[in-house]
Amino acid sequence: MYFFATPTAILLFFFQAGWTLKLPSYIKPCKMSDPKLDECVVKHGLAAVPKFINGDPKYRVPRLEPLDITELKVRQGTKQVGLNMILKNCKIYGIKSTKFIEARTNLPGKHIEWDFKIPRIEILSDYEVDGQVLILPITGKGKANVTLTNLEITYKYDWVYENKNGKSFMNFTSSELLFDTGRTYFDLQNLFNGDKFLGSNMNRFLNENWKDVTKELGPAVGQAFSDVFRLLLTRIAAQVPFEEIYLS
Ligand SMILES: *[C@@H]1O[C@H](CO)[C@@H](O)[C@H](O)[C@H]1NC(C)=O
Ligand SMILES: *[C@@H]1O[C@H](CO)[C@@H](O)[C@H](O)[C@H]1NC(C)=O
């Protein structure tokens, strides 16, 4: 019975019973026929960021500042000459400063691309690492601070339409996230069982070779962002009919 008492469950219940929502009041829809549709999307999208980041239970949108991610896994190469790194209980700060740069909206082709810039992302977490990073052995467990600057993100996605109760909803099929960073800073505490000398040498090494190390870390971080985009879009699009998102 408790299950039915939670707001999410009640919302889910109404949703499944055919309830539909409008866009949240802080996201202004754009007109499909607008000759400057892409500019409209960027303007309204950018305006929504400060509201969005606090989360919105009504749309089942989680809080984004800080964003909680249970686990980021980096796995490179084989067990003998590879790197196994897990960042656990991650708190990710910086999404609130996201700049929406450009949108490329192709509604007839059911394809959309969005470009974002984030000046700085700070990932504070517990970590466990074991293996080799750029041929040096590394092992440890403790607190990590991984800070990425000047992120450039392009998110592309496709969808099909799905009819529910006479309304058309976007059902996302494929998506892709491209991502590039400026500098990356690493601070892994308690490396090598707390050996100060080895630990600070390794941190210096990571920071001097940030470009190559980020290449190893990049896919995991990219995947995490991609999952977040997908979650947000899916949750909104599952509840808000297409005609409420892009007005005719
Ligand atoms: C994390 O690292 C960045 C870059 O070195 C630093 O500016 C920031 O203060 C650190 N954050 C914490 C909580 O230590
Ligand atoms: C969306 O499409 C997928 C795959 O075609 C399908 O399994 C799913 O039931 C559809 N609807 C929703 C609401 O996800």
Side-chain angles (χ1 to χ4, degrees), residues 8-237:
T8 307
I10 290 167
L11 188 73
L12 216 59
F13 175 76
F14 280 123
F15 167 56
Q16 281 162 355
W19 212 256
T20 65
L21 295 170
K22 294 200 178 284
L23 271 183
S25 58
Y26 48 83
I27 305 181
K28 298 243 168 357
C30 294
K31 271 199 152 159
M32 264 197 274
S33 58
D34 187 340
K36 295 187 170 171
L37 174 61
D38 287 331
E39 285 174 40
C40 174
V41 168
V42 169
K43 192 168 143 225
H44 293 176
L46 197 55
V49 170
K51 307 278 169 44
F52 220 75
I53 53 155
N54 298 318
D56 192 336
K58 190 174 166 197
Y59 295 84
R60 304 173 57 222
V61 169
R63 184 186 58 175
L64 301 179
E65 185 77 20
L67 172 67
D68 288 307
I69 304 246
T70 321
E71 205 169 81
L72 290 177
K73 266 199 183 133
V74 182
R75 199 157 278 160
Q76 286 282 321
T78 61
K79 209 167 175 197
Q80 284 75 32
V81 282
L83 177 72
N84 255 318
M85 177 146 124
I86 305 180
L87 302 179
K88 280 187 188 159
N89 311 316
C90 306
K91 291 215 174 291
I92 303 187
Y93 294 87
I95 292 175
K96 66 169 188 236
S97 306
T98 299
K99 301 271 177 289
F100 199 162
I101 304 297
E102 210 176 288
R104 290 174 292 282
T105 311
N106 176 356
L107 296 180
K110 290 174 275 190
H111 179 81
I112 285 179
E113 302 187 6
W114 289 337
D115 298 337
F116 301 96
K117 284 190 181 176
I118 312 180
R120 180 188 171 94
I121 285 285
E122 210 170 292
I123 306 173
L124 304 178
S125 71
D126 300 320
Y127 80 90
E128 276 174 44
V129 68
D130 187 28
Q132 294 194 347
V133 59
L134 310 176
I135 75 166
L136 282 192
I138 180 170
T139 162
K141 188 176 165 160
K143 297 274 176 204
N145 171 353
V146 178
T147 297
L148 310 153
T149 61
N150 298 320
L151 272 84
E152 297 190 350
I153 294 174
T154 296
Y155 189 66
K156 308 177 179 187
Y157 59 93
D158 302 286
W159 69 92
V160 294
Y161 291 109
E162 193 175 73
N163 279 309
K164 275 183 296 204
N165 309 300
K167 303 234 172 190
S168 196
F169 291 80
M170 292 164 96
N171 185 349
F172 300 106
T173 49
S174 56
S175 62
E176 186 186 4
L177 183 131
L178 309 174
F179 127 128
D180 201 9
T181 70
R183 259 221 73 156
T184 310
Y185 300 86
F186 299 91
D187 181 12
L188 304 182
Q189 287 175 19
N190 201 48
L191 275 169
F192 305 106
N193 249 325
D195 185 310
K196 287 254 162 26
F197 178 75
L198 290 178
S200 63
N201 273 340
M202 177 51 84
N203 274 302
R204 186 161 350 106
F205 177 81
L206 293 175
N207 283 297
E208 280 167 3
N209 295 281
W210 63 269
K211 220 172 220 168
D212 294 316
V213 180
T214 308
K215 261 187 227 142
E216 303 194 340
L217 185 72
V221 175
Q223 188 58 47
F225 279 116
S226 190
D227 290 348
V228 169
F229 276 113
R230 200 176 172 84
L231 180 99
L232 296 182
L233 289 174
T234 315
R235 292 209 168 154
I236 297 227

